Structure formats: structure tokens, C-alpha cells
Short mmCIF file of all heavy atoms in Angstrom, two decimals:
data_model
loop_
_atom_site.label_atom_id
_atom_site.label_comp_id
_atom_site.label_asym_id
_atom_site.label_seq_id
_atom_site.Cartn_x
_atom_site.Cartn_y
_atom_site.Cartn_z
N PHE Z 1 -22.23 -85.81 22.41
CA PHE Z 1 -22.55 -87.07 23.22
C PHE Z 1 -22.11 -86.66 24.69
O PHE Z 1 -22.12 -87.56 25.58
CB PHE Z 1 -21.91 -88.27 22.86
CG PHE Z 1 -21.01 -88.19 21.59
CD1 PHE Z 1 -19.77 -87.88 21.64
CD2 PHE Z 1 -21.70 -88.35 20.31
CE1 PHE Z 1 -18.96 -87.75 20.45
CE2 PHE Z 1 -21.01 -88.28 19.17
CZ PHE Z 1 -19.59 -88.01 19.23
N GLY Z 2 -21.65 -85.53 24.96
CA GLY Z 2 -21.33 -85.07 26.32
C GLY Z 2 -20.36 -85.96 27.04
O GLY Z 2 -19.24 -86.15 26.56
N ASP Z 3 -20.77 -86.58 28.05
CA ASP Z 3 -19.89 -87.40 28.83
C ASP Z 3 -19.96 -88.87 28.49
O ASP Z 3 -19.37 -89.73 29.19
CB ASP Z 3 -20.20 -87.28 30.44
CG ASP Z 3 -19.99 -85.83 30.91
OD1 ASP Z 3 -19.08 -85.27 30.39
OD2 ASP Z 3 -20.77 -85.37 31.76
N CYS Z 4 -20.60 -89.24 27.40
CA CYS Z 4 -20.74 -90.56 27.01
C CYS Z 4 -19.40 -91.00 26.48
O CYS Z 4 -18.71 -90.52 25.75
CB CYS Z 4 -21.74 -90.76 25.90
SG CYS Z 4 -23.40 -90.34 26.45
N PRO Z 5 -18.98 -92.27 26.84
CA PRO Z 5 -17.73 -92.88 26.38
C PRO Z 5 -17.94 -93.30 24.88
O PRO Z 5 -18.94 -93.82 24.57
CB PRO Z 5 -17.55 -94.08 27.29
CG PRO Z 5 -18.84 -94.42 27.71
CD PRO Z 5 -19.66 -93.27 27.76
N VAL Z 6 -16.91 -93.09 24.07
CA VAL Z 6 -16.96 -93.50 22.77
C VAL Z 6 -15.59 -94.15 22.39
O VAL Z 6 -14.58 -93.68 22.94
CB VAL Z 6 -17.33 -92.40 21.70
CG1 VAL Z 6 -18.76 -91.96 21.87
CG2 VAL Z 6 -16.38 -91.22 21.86
N ALA Z 7 -15.59 -95.04 21.53
CA ALA Z 7 -14.32 -95.66 21.09
C ALA Z 7 -13.48 -94.69 20.10
O ALA Z 7 -14.22 -93.96 19.34
CB ALA Z 7 -14.68 -97.01 20.30
N GLY Z 8 -12.35 -94.81 20.15
CA GLY Z 8 -11.54 -93.90 19.26
C GLY Z 8 -11.12 -94.62 18.00
O GLY Z 8 -11.22 -95.84 17.87
N GLU Z 9 -10.56 -93.92 17.04
CA GLU Z 9 -10.20 -94.49 15.80
C GLU Z 9 -9.08 -95.52 16.03
O GLU Z 9 -8.25 -95.28 16.80
CB GLU Z 9 -9.68 -93.28 14.84
CG GLU Z 9 -9.19 -93.82 13.44
CD GLU Z 9 -10.32 -94.36 12.60
OE1 GLU Z 9 -11.48 -93.91 12.73
OE2 GLU Z 9 -9.98 -95.32 11.87
N GLY Z 10 -9.21 -96.60 15.34
CA GLY Z 10 -8.16 -97.70 15.45
C GLY Z 10 -8.35 -98.57 16.76
O GLY Z 10 -7.49 -99.38 16.94
N ASP Z 11 -9.39 -98.32 17.54
CA ASP Z 11 -9.57 -99.14 18.64
C ASP Z 11 -9.76 -100.65 18.26
O ASP Z 11 -10.29 -100.93 17.21
CB ASP Z 11 -10.80 -98.69 19.46
CG ASP Z 11 -10.58 -97.48 20.31
OD1 ASP Z 11 -9.35 -97.08 20.35
OD2 ASP Z 11 -11.49 -97.04 20.95
N LYS Z 12 -9.27 -101.50 19.11
CA LYS Z 12 -9.59 -102.95 18.94
C LYS Z 12 -10.99 -103.24 19.15
O LYS Z 12 -11.75 -102.30 19.58
CB LYS Z 12 -8.71 -103.73 19.91
CG LYS Z 12 -7.24 -103.54 19.79
CD LYS Z 12 -6.65 -104.09 18.49
CE LYS Z 12 -5.22 -103.92 18.49
NZ LYS Z 12 -4.69 -103.80 17.08
N VAL Z 13 -11.54 -104.40 18.93
CA VAL Z 13 -12.80 -104.76 19.06
C VAL Z 13 -13.33 -104.40 20.57
O VAL Z 13 -12.62 -104.75 21.49
CB VAL Z 13 -13.03 -106.32 18.80
CG1 VAL Z 13 -14.46 -106.65 19.09
CG2 VAL Z 13 -12.67 -106.51 17.33
N SER Z 14 -14.36 -103.74 20.58
CA SER Z 14 -14.95 -103.30 21.89
C SER Z 14 -16.37 -103.25 21.74
O SER Z 14 -16.97 -103.26 20.62
CB SER Z 14 -14.37 -102.07 22.29
OG SER Z 14 -14.86 -101.04 21.52
N SER Z 15 -17.16 -103.15 22.77
CA SER Z 15 -18.58 -102.94 22.74
C SER Z 15 -18.98 -101.58 23.20
O SER Z 15 -20.00 -101.32 23.65
CB SER Z 15 -19.35 -103.94 23.61
OG SER Z 15 -18.85 -103.91 24.88
N VAL Z 16 -18.13 -100.59 22.95
CA VAL Z 16 -18.32 -99.15 23.39
C VAL Z 16 -19.04 -98.42 22.27
O VAL Z 16 -18.55 -98.22 21.36
CB VAL Z 16 -17.00 -98.45 23.75
CG1 VAL Z 16 -17.24 -97.05 24.13
CG2 VAL Z 16 -16.23 -99.23 24.79
N PHE Z 17 -20.30 -98.34 22.46
CA PHE Z 17 -21.16 -97.54 21.56
C PHE Z 17 -22.35 -97.06 22.40
O PHE Z 17 -22.68 -97.64 23.46
CB PHE Z 17 -21.64 -98.40 20.35
CG PHE Z 17 -22.55 -99.52 20.72
CD1 PHE Z 17 -23.92 -99.51 20.95
CD2 PHE Z 17 -21.80 -100.75 21.01
CE1 PHE Z 17 -24.58 -100.60 21.30
CE2 PHE Z 17 -22.60 -101.88 21.25
CZ PHE Z 17 -23.93 -101.78 21.51
N VAL Z 18 -22.92 -95.94 22.03
CA VAL Z 18 -23.98 -95.39 22.83
C VAL Z 18 -25.13 -94.94 21.90
O VAL Z 18 -24.89 -94.22 20.98
CB VAL Z 18 -23.41 -94.10 23.57
CG1 VAL Z 18 -24.45 -93.43 24.44
CG2 VAL Z 18 -22.20 -94.55 24.44
N LEU Z 19 -26.37 -95.21 22.30
CA LEU Z 19 -27.61 -94.74 21.64
C LEU Z 19 -27.76 -93.38 22.25
O LEU Z 19 -27.81 -93.20 23.47
CB LEU Z 19 -28.68 -95.58 21.87
CG LEU Z 19 -30.09 -95.14 21.37
CD1 LEU Z 19 -30.04 -95.05 19.85
CD2 LEU Z 19 -31.18 -96.11 21.69
N VAL Z 20 -27.73 -92.35 21.42
CA VAL Z 20 -27.96 -91.03 21.89
C VAL Z 20 -29.29 -90.41 21.35
O VAL Z 20 -29.69 -90.73 20.26
CB VAL Z 20 -26.79 -90.10 21.52
CG1 VAL Z 20 -25.50 -90.50 22.14
CG2 VAL Z 20 -26.54 -90.04 19.96
N GLU Z 21 -29.79 -89.49 22.12
CA GLU Z 21 -30.89 -88.76 21.65
C GLU Z 21 -30.29 -87.58 20.69
O GLU Z 21 -29.42 -86.98 21.11
CB GLU Z 21 -31.69 -88.16 22.84
CG GLU Z 21 -32.31 -89.10 23.88
CD GLU Z 21 -32.96 -88.35 24.95
OE1 GLU Z 21 -33.79 -87.49 24.58
OE2 GLU Z 21 -32.72 -88.82 26.09
N THR Z 22 -31.04 -87.51 19.60
CA THR Z 22 -30.59 -86.58 18.60
C THR Z 22 -30.51 -85.10 19.18
O THR Z 22 -29.45 -84.46 18.87
CB THR Z 22 -31.54 -86.51 17.33
OG1 THR Z 22 -31.66 -87.86 16.90
CG2 THR Z 22 -30.98 -85.60 16.31
N ARG Z 23 -31.32 -84.74 20.09
CA ARG Z 23 -31.18 -83.43 20.57
C ARG Z 23 -30.03 -83.18 21.52
O ARG Z 23 -29.66 -82.13 21.68
CB ARG Z 23 -32.54 -83.07 21.37
CG ARG Z 23 -32.86 -83.93 22.55
CD ARG Z 23 -34.29 -83.49 23.02
NE ARG Z 23 -34.66 -84.46 24.09
CZ ARG Z 23 -34.28 -84.51 25.36
NH1 ARG Z 23 -33.45 -83.56 25.77
NH2 ARG Z 23 -34.74 -85.41 26.13
N LYS Z 24 -29.57 -84.30 21.97
CA LYS Z 24 -28.32 -84.20 22.71
C LYS Z 24 -26.99 -84.50 22.06
O LYS Z 24 -26.01 -84.39 22.61
CB LYS Z 24 -28.42 -85.22 23.98
CG LYS Z 24 -29.46 -84.91 25.01
CD LYS Z 24 -29.54 -85.91 26.11
CE LYS Z 24 -30.60 -85.55 27.09
NZ LYS Z 24 -30.73 -86.54 28.21
N ALA Z 25 -27.13 -84.91 20.86
CA ALA Z 25 -25.90 -85.19 20.00
C ALA Z 25 -25.14 -83.99 19.77
O ALA Z 25 -25.71 -82.86 19.45
CB ALA Z 25 -26.30 -85.91 18.69
N VAL Z 26 -23.77 -84.04 19.66
CA VAL Z 26 -22.97 -82.95 19.39
C VAL Z 26 -23.22 -82.48 17.85
O VAL Z 26 -23.39 -81.33 17.62
CB VAL Z 26 -21.46 -83.25 19.62
CG1 VAL Z 26 -20.53 -82.16 19.02
CG2 VAL Z 26 -21.23 -83.42 21.04
N SER Z 27 -23.13 -83.49 17.05
CA SER Z 27 -23.47 -83.19 15.66
C SER Z 27 -24.91 -83.58 15.28
O SER Z 27 -25.42 -84.48 15.84
CB SER Z 27 -22.50 -84.13 14.72
OG SER Z 27 -22.84 -83.99 13.42
N LYS Z 28 -25.46 -82.83 14.48
CA LYS Z 28 -26.89 -83.06 13.99
C LYS Z 28 -26.92 -83.86 12.64
O LYS Z 28 -27.93 -84.05 12.03
CB LYS Z 28 -27.66 -81.86 13.88
CG LYS Z 28 -27.80 -81.05 15.18
CD LYS Z 28 -28.53 -81.78 16.28
CE LYS Z 28 -28.58 -80.95 17.44
NZ LYS Z 28 -29.03 -81.58 18.66
N GLN Z 29 -25.77 -84.19 12.20
CA GLN Z 29 -25.51 -84.95 10.98
C GLN Z 29 -24.79 -86.23 11.14
O GLN Z 29 -23.84 -86.36 12.00
CB GLN Z 29 -24.83 -84.12 9.91
CG GLN Z 29 -25.53 -82.78 9.49
CD GLN Z 29 -24.76 -82.14 8.41
OE1 GLN Z 29 -23.55 -81.88 8.57
NE2 GLN Z 29 -25.45 -81.65 7.46
N CYS Z 30 -25.15 -87.28 10.35
CA CYS Z 30 -24.43 -88.51 10.44
C CYS Z 30 -22.97 -88.33 9.95
O CYS Z 30 -22.64 -87.63 8.98
CB CYS Z 30 -25.07 -89.51 9.45
SG CYS Z 30 -24.26 -91.16 9.38
N GLY Z 31 -22.01 -89.01 10.75
CA GLY Z 31 -20.65 -88.91 10.43
C GLY Z 31 -20.27 -89.55 9.14
O GLY Z 31 -19.09 -89.25 8.62
N LEU Z 32 -21.07 -90.45 8.61
CA LEU Z 32 -20.75 -91.13 7.30
C LEU Z 32 -21.53 -90.48 6.13
O LEU Z 32 -20.85 -90.08 5.22
CB LEU Z 32 -21.05 -92.58 7.36
CG LEU Z 32 -20.06 -93.40 8.17
CD1 LEU Z 32 -20.43 -94.93 8.20
CD2 LEU Z 32 -18.68 -93.31 7.66
N CYS Z 33 -22.81 -90.44 6.12
CA CYS Z 33 -23.54 -90.00 5.12
C CYS Z 33 -23.82 -88.50 5.04
O CYS Z 33 -24.17 -87.94 3.99
CB CYS Z 33 -24.79 -90.81 4.87
SG CYS Z 33 -26.09 -90.44 6.22
N GLY Z 34 -23.70 -87.82 6.22
CA GLY Z 34 -23.89 -86.45 6.21
C GLY Z 34 -25.35 -86.07 6.39
O GLY Z 34 -25.77 -84.88 6.38
N LYS Z 35 -26.24 -87.07 6.35
CA LYS Z 35 -27.70 -86.73 6.48
C LYS Z 35 -28.11 -86.25 7.87
O LYS Z 35 -27.39 -86.62 8.73
CB LYS Z 35 -28.64 -87.88 5.99
CG LYS Z 35 -28.46 -88.31 4.53
CD LYS Z 35 -29.38 -89.36 4.16
CE LYS Z 35 -29.08 -89.83 2.69
NZ LYS Z 35 -29.81 -91.01 2.37
N ALA Z 36 -29.21 -85.56 8.00
CA ALA Z 36 -29.66 -85.12 9.30
C ALA Z 36 -30.10 -86.39 10.15
O ALA Z 36 -30.63 -87.36 9.47
CB ALA Z 36 -30.92 -84.24 9.10
N LEU Z 37 -29.75 -86.34 11.38
CA LEU Z 37 -30.13 -87.53 12.22
C LEU Z 37 -31.50 -87.51 12.54
O LEU Z 37 -32.09 -86.44 12.86
CB LEU Z 37 -29.26 -87.43 13.45
CG LEU Z 37 -27.70 -87.59 13.24
CD1 LEU Z 37 -27.01 -87.25 14.52
CD2 LEU Z 37 -27.30 -89.00 12.68
N SER Z 38 -32.12 -88.75 12.73
CA SER Z 38 -33.49 -88.81 13.12
C SER Z 38 -33.55 -88.92 14.55
O SER Z 38 -32.56 -88.63 15.31
CB SER Z 38 -34.11 -90.08 12.42
OG SER Z 38 -33.51 -91.25 12.86
N SER Z 39 -34.55 -89.56 15.10
CA SER Z 39 -34.66 -89.67 16.59
C SER Z 39 -33.76 -90.60 17.15
O SER Z 39 -33.40 -90.65 18.32
CB SER Z 39 -36.12 -90.11 16.99
OG SER Z 39 -36.44 -91.26 16.32
N LYS Z 40 -33.23 -91.66 16.32
CA LYS Z 40 -32.19 -92.56 16.80
C LYS Z 40 -30.90 -92.30 16.22
O LYS Z 40 -30.78 -92.07 14.89
CB LYS Z 40 -32.61 -94.06 16.48
CG LYS Z 40 -33.36 -94.74 17.47
CD LYS Z 40 -33.47 -96.25 17.03
CE LYS Z 40 -34.21 -97.05 18.08
NZ LYS Z 40 -34.38 -98.43 17.71
N ALA Z 41 -29.83 -92.17 16.98
CA ALA Z 41 -28.54 -91.94 16.52
C ALA Z 41 -27.59 -92.74 17.44
O ALA Z 41 -27.72 -92.88 18.58
CB ALA Z 41 -28.16 -90.44 16.65
N TRP Z 42 -26.46 -93.26 16.83
CA TRP Z 42 -25.50 -93.94 17.60
C TRP Z 42 -24.17 -93.30 17.62
O TRP Z 42 -23.64 -92.73 16.56
CB TRP Z 42 -25.31 -95.26 16.96
CG TRP Z 42 -26.51 -96.17 16.95
CD1 TRP Z 42 -27.51 -96.22 16.01
CD2 TRP Z 42 -26.96 -97.12 18.00
NE1 TRP Z 42 -28.58 -97.14 16.45
CE2 TRP Z 42 -28.21 -97.56 17.71
CE3 TRP Z 42 -26.37 -97.38 19.23
CZ2 TRP Z 42 -28.84 -98.53 18.42
CZ3 TRP Z 42 -27.05 -98.32 19.99
CH2 TRP Z 42 -28.21 -98.85 19.70
N ALA Z 43 -23.51 -93.28 18.87
CA ALA Z 43 -22.16 -92.68 18.96
C ALA Z 43 -21.19 -93.72 19.10
O ALA Z 43 -21.29 -94.60 19.87
CB ALA Z 43 -22.26 -91.65 20.11
N ALA Z 44 -20.12 -93.69 18.31
CA ALA Z 44 -19.05 -94.54 18.43
C ALA Z 44 -17.83 -94.10 17.60
O ALA Z 44 -18.14 -93.21 16.69
CB ALA Z 44 -19.44 -95.95 17.83
N ALA Z 45 -16.66 -94.47 17.91
CA ALA Z 45 -15.49 -94.00 17.16
C ALA Z 45 -15.40 -92.48 17.03
O ALA Z 45 -14.85 -91.91 16.01
CB ALA Z 45 -15.45 -94.64 15.84
N GLY Z 46 -15.86 -91.73 18.14
CA GLY Z 46 -15.77 -90.35 18.15
C GLY Z 46 -16.78 -89.63 17.14
O GLY Z 46 -16.57 -88.29 16.87
N GLN Z 47 -17.76 -90.31 16.59
CA GLN Z 47 -18.65 -89.68 15.70
C GLN Z 47 -20.10 -90.13 16.10
O GLN Z 47 -20.32 -90.99 16.93
CB GLN Z 47 -18.43 -90.18 14.27
CG GLN Z 47 -17.08 -89.75 13.71
CD GLN Z 47 -16.91 -90.19 12.30
OE1 GLN Z 47 -17.72 -89.72 11.37
NE2 GLN Z 47 -15.95 -91.01 11.95
N THR Z 48 -21.10 -89.42 15.43
CA THR Z 48 -22.46 -89.88 15.60
C THR Z 48 -23.04 -90.41 14.25
O THR Z 48 -22.71 -89.83 13.26
CB THR Z 48 -23.25 -88.69 16.02
OG1 THR Z 48 -22.79 -88.02 17.22
CG2 THR Z 48 -24.70 -89.02 16.41
N PHE Z 49 -23.82 -91.53 14.27
CA PHE Z 49 -24.14 -92.15 13.10
C PHE Z 49 -25.59 -92.36 13.05
O PHE Z 49 -26.25 -92.62 14.13
CB PHE Z 49 -23.55 -93.58 12.97
CG PHE Z 49 -21.99 -93.53 12.96
CD1 PHE Z 49 -21.38 -93.70 14.09
CD2 PHE Z 49 -21.44 -93.36 11.72
CE1 PHE Z 49 -20.02 -93.65 14.15
CE2 PHE Z 49 -19.99 -93.37 11.81
CZ PHE Z 49 -19.31 -93.52 13.01
N CYS Z 50 -26.24 -92.19 11.84
CA CYS Z 50 -27.64 -92.51 11.71
C CYS Z 50 -27.84 -94.07 11.89
O CYS Z 50 -26.79 -94.80 11.66
CB CYS Z 50 -28.27 -91.97 10.37
SG CYS Z 50 -27.57 -92.77 8.88
N GLU Z 51 -29.00 -94.49 11.96
CA GLU Z 51 -29.22 -96.02 12.16
C GLU Z 51 -28.84 -96.80 10.95
O GLU Z 51 -28.26 -97.93 11.07
CB GLU Z 51 -30.72 -96.25 12.49
CG GLU Z 51 -30.98 -97.65 13.05
CD GLU Z 51 -32.29 -97.70 13.67
OE1 GLU Z 51 -33.22 -96.88 13.55
OE2 GLU Z 51 -32.51 -98.77 14.48
N SER Z 52 -29.00 -96.27 9.76
CA SER Z 52 -28.73 -96.99 8.54
C SER Z 52 -27.19 -97.04 8.21
O SER Z 52 -26.74 -97.95 7.56
CB SER Z 52 -29.41 -96.44 7.34
OG SER Z 52 -29.07 -94.99 7.09
N CYS Z 53 -26.46 -96.15 8.81
CA CYS Z 53 -24.95 -96.16 8.64
C CYS Z 53 -24.20 -96.92 9.75
O CYS Z 53 -23.06 -97.25 9.60
CB CYS Z 53 -24.47 -94.66 8.51
SG CYS Z 53 -24.82 -93.88 6.94
N PHE Z 54 -24.92 -97.19 10.85
CA PHE Z 54 -24.23 -97.85 12.01
C PHE Z 54 -24.28 -99.36 11.72
O PHE Z 54 -25.00 -100.13 12.48
CB PHE Z 54 -25.00 -97.46 13.37
CG PHE Z 54 -24.27 -97.84 14.47
CD1 PHE Z 54 -23.03 -97.29 14.77
CD2 PHE Z 54 -24.65 -98.77 15.43
CE1 PHE Z 54 -22.31 -97.64 15.91
CE2 PHE Z 54 -24.07 -99.15 16.54
CZ PHE Z 54 -22.77 -98.59 16.79
N VAL Z 55 -23.68 -99.78 10.67
CA VAL Z 55 -23.55 -101.11 10.27
C VAL Z 55 -22.08 -101.59 9.98
O VAL Z 55 -21.27 -100.67 9.64
CB VAL Z 55 -24.42 -101.31 9.03
CG1 VAL Z 55 -25.99 -101.15 9.30
CG2 VAL Z 55 -23.98 -100.51 7.80
N CYS Z 56 -21.91 -102.85 9.92
CA CYS Z 56 -20.60 -103.37 9.60
C CYS Z 56 -20.27 -103.01 8.10
O CYS Z 56 -21.06 -103.25 7.23
CB CYS Z 56 -20.51 -104.86 9.85
SG CYS Z 56 -18.95 -105.58 9.36
N LYS Z 57 -19.01 -102.45 7.89
CA LYS Z 57 -18.64 -102.12 6.49
C LYS Z 57 -18.55 -103.40 5.56
O LYS Z 57 -18.71 -103.33 4.39
CB LYS Z 57 -17.39 -101.43 6.57
CG LYS Z 57 -16.83 -100.86 5.28
CD LYS Z 57 -15.60 -99.99 5.48
CE LYS Z 57 -15.18 -99.38 4.19
NZ LYS Z 57 -13.89 -98.59 4.37
N GLN Z 58 -18.30 -104.58 6.22
CA GLN Z 58 -18.04 -105.73 5.48
C GLN Z 58 -19.42 -106.54 5.21
O GLN Z 58 -19.79 -106.74 4.04
CB GLN Z 58 -17.08 -106.70 6.27
CG GLN Z 58 -16.89 -108.09 5.60
CD GLN Z 58 -16.01 -107.90 4.32
OE1 GLN Z 58 -15.22 -107.09 4.24
NE2 GLN Z 58 -16.29 -108.78 3.39
N CYS Z 59 -20.27 -106.80 6.23
CA CYS Z 59 -21.36 -107.59 6.09
C CYS Z 59 -22.76 -106.77 6.00
O CYS Z 59 -23.70 -107.33 5.64
CB CYS Z 59 -21.50 -108.67 7.19
SG CYS Z 59 -21.76 -108.09 8.83
N GLY Z 60 -22.64 -105.52 6.46
CA GLY Z 60 -23.84 -104.72 6.41
C GLY Z 60 -24.81 -104.87 7.55
O GLY Z 60 -25.85 -104.29 7.62
N LYS Z 61 -24.52 -105.79 8.58
CA LYS Z 61 -25.31 -105.99 9.70
C LYS Z 61 -25.23 -104.85 10.66
O LYS Z 61 -24.15 -104.30 10.82
CB LYS Z 61 -25.06 -107.32 10.38
CG LYS Z 61 -25.36 -108.56 9.57
CD LYS Z 61 -25.06 -109.81 10.34
CE LYS Z 61 -25.41 -110.97 9.41
NZ LYS Z 61 -24.97 -112.30 10.11
N SER Z 62 -26.39 -104.67 11.35
CA SER Z 62 -26.41 -103.47 12.32
C SER Z 62 -25.32 -103.85 13.50
O SER Z 62 -25.18 -105.04 13.85
CB SER Z 62 -27.78 -103.37 13.00
OG SER Z 62 -27.79 -102.50 14.06
N LEU Z 63 -24.76 -102.74 13.92
CA LEU Z 63 -23.80 -102.90 15.01
C LEU Z 63 -24.38 -102.71 16.41
O LEU Z 63 -23.77 -102.73 17.41
CB LEU Z 63 -22.54 -101.97 14.80
CG LEU Z 63 -21.72 -102.26 13.62
CD1 LEU Z 63 -20.74 -101.13 13.38
CD2 LEU Z 63 -20.99 -103.59 13.81
N ALA Z 64 -25.68 -102.28 16.39
CA ALA Z 64 -26.42 -102.04 17.65
C ALA Z 64 -26.33 -103.41 18.57
O ALA Z 64 -26.74 -104.41 18.09
CB ALA Z 64 -27.81 -101.63 17.36
N GLY Z 65 -25.82 -103.28 19.82
CA GLY Z 65 -25.76 -104.32 20.60
C GLY Z 65 -24.61 -105.42 20.34
O GLY Z 65 -24.63 -106.50 20.96
N ARG Z 66 -23.74 -105.05 19.45
CA ARG Z 66 -22.63 -105.99 19.08
C ARG Z 66 -21.37 -105.38 19.34
O ARG Z 66 -21.23 -104.11 19.41
CB ARG Z 66 -22.81 -106.28 17.51
CG ARG Z 66 -24.03 -106.88 17.19
CD ARG Z 66 -24.19 -107.07 15.66
NE ARG Z 66 -23.34 -108.27 15.35
CZ ARG Z 66 -23.07 -108.56 14.15
NH1 ARG Z 66 -23.65 -108.00 13.12
NH2 ARG Z 66 -22.25 -109.69 13.96
N ASP Z 67 -20.35 -106.28 19.51
CA ASP Z 67 -18.94 -105.75 19.62
C ASP Z 67 -18.59 -105.07 18.23
O ASP Z 67 -19.01 -105.52 17.18
CB ASP Z 67 -17.98 -106.90 19.85
CG ASP Z 67 -18.18 -107.36 21.44
OD1 ASP Z 67 -18.71 -106.67 22.14
OD2 ASP Z 67 -17.73 -108.47 21.62
N LEU Z 68 -17.77 -104.04 18.25
CA LEU Z 68 -17.41 -103.46 17.06
C LEU Z 68 -15.93 -102.96 17.10
O LEU Z 68 -15.31 -102.91 18.16
CB LEU Z 68 -18.30 -102.22 16.82
CG LEU Z 68 -18.31 -101.03 17.74
CD1 LEU Z 68 -17.32 -100.01 17.38
CD2 LEU Z 68 -19.70 -100.58 17.91
N ALA Z 69 -15.48 -102.74 15.93
CA ALA Z 69 -14.07 -102.07 15.79
C ALA Z 69 -14.16 -100.94 14.77
O ALA Z 69 -14.88 -100.94 13.87
CB ALA Z 69 -13.09 -103.24 15.30
N SER Z 70 -13.36 -99.92 15.04
CA SER Z 70 -13.29 -98.82 14.20
C SER Z 70 -11.78 -98.90 13.54
O SER Z 70 -10.84 -98.85 14.14
CB SER Z 70 -13.37 -97.49 14.88
OG SER Z 70 -13.09 -96.37 14.00
N VAL Z 71 -11.82 -99.10 12.26
CA VAL Z 71 -10.50 -99.28 11.56
C VAL Z 71 -10.51 -98.42 10.31
O VAL Z 71 -11.33 -98.64 9.44
CB VAL Z 71 -10.23 -100.75 11.15
CG1 VAL Z 71 -8.90 -100.93 10.44
CG2 VAL Z 71 -10.40 -101.61 12.31
N GLU Z 72 -9.54 -97.46 10.15
CA GLU Z 72 -9.43 -96.62 9.00
C GLU Z 72 -10.75 -96.07 8.50
O GLU Z 72 -10.99 -96.03 7.39
CB GLU Z 72 -8.70 -97.36 7.91
CG GLU Z 72 -7.33 -97.80 8.23
CD GLU Z 72 -6.55 -98.58 7.13
OE1 GLU Z 72 -7.10 -98.60 6.04
OE2 GLU Z 72 -5.55 -99.16 7.46
N GLY Z 73 -11.42 -95.54 9.52
CA GLY Z 73 -12.70 -94.84 9.16
C GLY Z 73 -13.90 -95.65 8.95
O GLY Z 73 -15.03 -95.09 8.79
N GLY Z 74 -13.73 -96.97 9.04
CA GLY Z 74 -14.86 -97.92 8.83
C GLY Z 74 -15.24 -98.61 10.13
O GLY Z 74 -14.35 -98.83 11.01
N LEU Z 75 -16.44 -98.92 10.33
CA LEU Z 75 -16.89 -99.68 11.45
C LEU Z 75 -17.20 -101.15 11.06
O LEU Z 75 -17.69 -101.41 9.89
CB LEU Z 75 -18.26 -99.01 11.93
CG LEU Z 75 -18.19 -97.63 12.45
CD1 LEU Z 75 -19.60 -97.24 12.82
CD2 LEU Z 75 -17.32 -97.56 13.77
N TYR Z 76 -16.74 -102.02 11.93
CA TYR Z 76 -16.79 -103.51 11.62
C TYR Z 76 -17.35 -104.22 12.73
O TYR Z 76 -17.03 -103.87 13.92
CB TYR Z 76 -15.39 -104.02 11.26
CG TYR Z 76 -14.79 -103.41 10.01
CD1 TYR Z 76 -13.99 -102.26 10.05
CD2 TYR Z 76 -14.93 -104.07 8.77
CE1 TYR Z 76 -13.46 -101.84 8.98
CE2 TYR Z 76 -14.36 -103.53 7.67
CZ TYR Z 76 -13.64 -102.35 7.65
OH TYR Z 76 -12.95 -101.80 6.56
N CYS Z 77 -18.06 -105.30 12.59
CA CYS Z 77 -18.41 -106.21 13.66
C CYS Z 77 -17.30 -107.04 13.99
O CYS Z 77 -16.23 -107.03 13.27
CB CYS Z 77 -19.59 -107.10 13.19
SG CYS Z 77 -19.29 -108.23 11.90
N ALA Z 78 -17.23 -107.68 15.12
CA ALA Z 78 -16.14 -108.40 15.69
C ALA Z 78 -15.69 -109.49 14.62
O ALA Z 78 -14.51 -109.66 14.42
CB ALA Z 78 -16.42 -109.03 16.94
N GLU Z 79 -16.63 -110.08 13.98
CA GLU Z 79 -16.34 -111.19 13.02
C GLU Z 79 -15.56 -110.73 11.81
O GLU Z 79 -14.71 -111.35 11.18
CB GLU Z 79 -17.64 -111.87 12.57
CG GLU Z 79 -17.55 -112.98 11.59
CD GLU Z 79 -18.82 -113.51 11.23
OE1 GLU Z 79 -19.74 -113.39 12.01
OE2 GLU Z 79 -18.77 -114.25 10.24
N HIS Z 80 -15.86 -109.43 11.34
CA HIS Z 80 -15.24 -108.98 10.08
C HIS Z 80 -14.19 -107.85 10.30
O HIS Z 80 -13.68 -107.33 9.36
CB HIS Z 80 -16.33 -108.40 9.20
CG HIS Z 80 -17.24 -109.44 8.73
ND1 HIS Z 80 -18.51 -109.56 9.12
CD2 HIS Z 80 -16.98 -110.56 7.85
CE1 HIS Z 80 -19.04 -110.70 8.58
NE2 HIS Z 80 -18.15 -111.27 7.83
N SER Z 81 -13.71 -107.65 11.54
CA SER Z 81 -12.74 -106.72 11.83
C SER Z 81 -11.37 -107.03 11.12
O SER Z 81 -10.97 -108.12 11.28
CB SER Z 81 -12.43 -106.54 13.29
OG SER Z 81 -11.40 -105.64 13.43
N PRO Z 82 -10.86 -106.16 10.28
CA PRO Z 82 -9.62 -106.44 9.53
C PRO Z 82 -8.42 -106.62 10.50
O PRO Z 82 -7.31 -107.09 10.07
CB PRO Z 82 -9.44 -105.33 8.67
CG PRO Z 82 -10.27 -104.30 9.01
CD PRO Z 82 -11.37 -104.78 9.92
N GLU Z 83 -8.45 -106.25 11.69
CA GLU Z 83 -7.32 -106.43 12.65
C GLU Z 83 -7.32 -107.59 13.41
O GLU Z 83 -8.32 -108.13 13.68
CB GLU Z 83 -7.30 -105.15 13.53
CG GLU Z 83 -6.99 -103.93 12.87
CD GLU Z 83 -6.78 -102.75 13.78
OE1 GLU Z 83 -7.04 -102.83 15.03
OE2 GLU Z 83 -6.19 -101.86 13.33
#
């Protein structure tokens, strides 16, 4: 993700996430499922995610355009953050 800001592990709820072009992503694989990234990839919590994995661990809703938290390796929307 180059110079793009990303949230770190254990960060409180924030809206720091970045839509990245796959060809510019550091990793060509999703940080959760390990599948090859398609044309849309999201960078957050120091990893790159495919669109289907960039969802709240609790409710399953997309985190695109929403506040999020990274807690113990899981991504959560602000409503379901365990912290």
C-alpha cells in the first residue's frame, strides 16, 4: 500500500481504511482467506483484504465506508467492536 495510512492491530475504532488497486498492493493475496486479490482490495490493520473478507467479524456487513476496529486479528464495525 506504499504510503497509504493503515490502522494497526488493536487500534480503537477509526475510519482508517484504503481502497487499493491490486497492482499497487504489497500482497497479492487476501490477509484472511489467502485467495488472490481481484481488482478491488482494501487495506486496513496492516493487511490487504479481498472485498468478501473486508466485513465485520460479528455482523458480516461490509466495512467499506464505515468506522472499524481491528481487535485480535478480527475486523469489526464500530457497533460490534469488542472494546
